[in-house]
Amino acid sequence: PPKIRQQVAGTKARRFFKIVACNQRDPQQGKHMEVLGSYAPKVQTGVKEIRLRFSRVKFWLGVGAEFNKGTRQILSLAGLIPTPPPIFGRRTKGHYDALQKLLAQRQEMHEAAVKEYHKHSGSRGLHAR
């Protein structure tokens, strides 16, 4: 089965990762079928630079490609898959539930603002004649 994984590249102080599609039995730094993008965490600025070919990643996900935790995190940051729940431990106890409540509350506030906007606009759609 195919696998989406990261290959380490760059120099010692400036690592970046190529996101590739490969066979499961291929060596980690070895050959691959296709380069899907790159991920470059900038240590000094704290920016995570993610470049992906969305159509090709969606194709490999549709084919049933597997991936590990790190790659799953990158794909969820890009919005291709839903955000995975955090790994539970002593420090994350209850944080996931609180985050879900906050996201639901934010969504409700957004929907209420949209409804209020449409109530005062006089027409239902954006392109009223």
Side-chain angles (χ1 to χ4, degrees):
K3 190 162 191 161
I4 298 175
R5 67 163 60 132
Q6 302 171 44
Q7 288 185 343
V8 181
T11 61
K12 194 171 186 180
R14 292 184 296 236
R15 294 269 189 233
F16 73 94
F17 303 91
K18 288 193 294 184
I19 299 170
V20 298
C22 60
N23 288 322
Q24 199 168 23
R25 295 176 187 263
D26 289 343
Q28 185 174 2
Q29 296 301 108
K31 64 179 183 175
H32 52 266
M33 293 184 279
E34 185 177 6
V35 176
L36 302 175
S38 65
Y39 166 63
K42 310 289 186 194
V43 178
Q44 268 91 22
T45 58
V47 174
K48 296 178 180 178
E49 182 180 302
I50 301 172
R51 297 175 181 208
L52 288 174
R53 295 165 59 198
F54 273 61
S55 60
R56 297 307 297 164
V57 173
K58 286 181 183 178
F59 167 79
W60 286 108
L61 289 174
V63 167
E66 301 170 355
F67 39 83
N68 60 6
K69 291 179 189 172
T71 309
R72 181 192 320 167
Q73 195 67 30
I74 292 171
L75 294 179
S76 68
L77 281 173
L80 283 167
I81 60 173
T83 306
I87 301 167
F88 287 102
R90 182 173 54 85
R91 295 183 180 169
T92 59
K93 187 175 183 182
H95 290 220
Y96 185 67
D97 295 333
L99 179 65
Q100 292 301 324
K101 287 178 186 174
L102 180 70
L103 289 174
Q105 185 180 13
R106 187 177 291 172
Q107 183 66 27
E108 288 174 9
M109 289 173 56
H110 172 73
E111 289 171 359
V114 169
K115 193 173 183 180
E116 187 72 19
Y117 171 79
H118 285 301
K119 186 171 83 174
H120 293 295
S121 67
S123 65
R124 297 297 305 163
L126 294 174
H127 305 290
R129 291 182 185 178

